[in-house]
Each structure stands twice: as structure tokens, then as C-alpha cells.
Amino acid sequence: MTLLVVGLVLFFAVHLVRVFAPGFRVGVIAQFGKPAWVVFHSLASIVTLVLVIYGFGEARQVTGMLWYPPVFMAHIAVTLMLVAMICLVAGFLPAGHIATKTKYPIVLSIKIWALAHLLANGETASVVLFGAFLAYGVLLRIALKRRERAGEIAPRPFVSAGYDIAAVVLGAVLWLLIIWQLHEW
């Protein structure tokens, strides 16, 4: 469990640099340039994600159940995951109604993903992992809202409702691929 917790702390530290240490990011970019920052941030993200995945696998072998969720929670989780995948895809497309109404659809996707998995999993390691990601999503949303109020982030201008259709179709395809095989991998 220690490896999972260390992995989560490092992963969130890398992803919350702008929130808790904005000067560090700005300093690295000023000294080495934005491409160097992107490479550093990407490598740190990959390494810490691998650490989280490995730590989760290890923790699941030694931790027990906190509770036994009812079977219907798995069905709710699967349905919520469809919504999460649609929001995820909407965040990467030019803005349609989904992206403009949710403001930060990728962050919303993370929160829905974490909540869905918390509902369906009662293992200690799962609660730690998904609870941490839910807290991360909430914290990130608060930070983005503050940056928006400070004028650092401009609202996404609406482009076309066609991107909503694309988000729903591509999100559903991604959801089906996850159900079909990707989740098992």
C-alpha cells in the first residue's frame, strides 16, 4: 500500500504544480524553454503513472475489503462510465454544447470515472486510488475556477453542435472498447 500512496502523491504533485507551485513551472520554462518543460512533465507523468499502476497491483494483493458493494452498483458504474467517456472525448474536440456547458469536460470525466469506480469497488486499494482521483478532480476544478475568475483562462467559445454528436459517438465507441477488451488489459 505504501508504494501506491507514494505513487499517488508523486503523480498528483506532478499534475498540481501549477496549482501549488506556479513559480516552479514558470521558472523551468523561463530557463529551459517550453519544449523542455513538456518533455520533463511528460516523462514525470509517465513514470509516476507507472508507479501508481504497479503500486495498485501490489496493494490489491495485500489489502482486504472495506465493504461489499451491491451488485447493482456495477451496472451504475458502467452507465456512469459512458458519460465519463463522452465528456473525455468532448474535452479533446473543438467546443460543442457539452464542452461549453461543462467548462472542463476532462476534469468532469475524471470525477465521474473515480466516482463510478468508488461505487463498484470496496477493496481498500481501490478506495484509496479512486478516492484520491476524485479528490484530485475536485481540487483541480476549484483551481481552474479560480484561474478563470482571475482572467487566466478564457471560456471556450462554442463552435458547433456537430462536435457534440462526434463526442457522443466517439465516447460510446471508446466505452464499448473498454468494456470489450481494454479494461481487462
Side-chain angles (χ1 to χ4, degrees):
M1 182 70 102
T2 304
L3 194 56
L4 172 61
V5 172
V6 168
L8 286 167
V9 167
L10 292 174
F11 181 85
F12 295 133
V14 167
H15 286 84
L16 292 172
V17 165
R18 184 175 265 184
V19 175
F20 293 112
F24 175 76
R25 179 182 178 273
V26 170
V28 171
I29 291 172
Q31 188 171 0
F32 300 106
K34 187 141 185 173
W37 169 257
V38 170
V39 168
F40 166 75
H41 191 265
S42 299
L43 290 175
S45 297
I46 292 167
V47 168
T48 57
L49 181 61
V50 168
L51 187 59
V52 167
I53 292 167
Y54 183 77
F56 180 67
E58 292 291 313
R60 288 182 83 186
Q61 295 176 16
V62 295
T63 60
M65 296 294 289
L66 286 179
W67 73 81
Y68 293 89
V71 174
F72 72 87
M73 287 296 193
H75 301 292
I76 292 172
V78 169
T79 305
L80 285 172
M81 285 306 299
L82 174 60
V83 176
M85 294 303 97
I86 291 168
C87 289
L88 180 68
V89 171
F92 288 103
L93 295 174
H97 292 290
I98 296 169
T100 55
K101 298 292 184 203
T102 62
K103 291 191 179 182
Y104 306 105
I106 295 172
V107 175
L108 180 59
S109 176
I110 292 169
K111 293 190 298 187
I112 294 170
W113 169 81
L115 176 64
H117 283 78
L118 277 172
L119 292 175
N121 294 286
E123 304 161 315
T124 304
S126 295
V127 171
V128 169
L129 176 71
F130 301 119
F133 269 95
L134 182 57
Y136 164 72
V138 169
L139 184 63
L140 191 56
R141 177 66 173 99
I142 291 167
L144 288 168
K145 196 167 191 143
R146 284 184 181 159
R147 287 181 57 210
E148 186 180 288
R149 277 195 305 257
E152 296 175 31
I153 300 174
R156 291 176 75 169
F158 176 77
V159 178
S160 170
Y163 292 112
D164 293 323
I165 295 167
V168 170
V169 170
L170 294 173
V173 168
L174 179 58
W175 177 73
L176 288 169
L177 287 172
I178 289 170
I179 290 172
W180 171 66
Q181 194 71 39
L182 294 179
H183 197 272
E184 187 177 320
W185 291 344

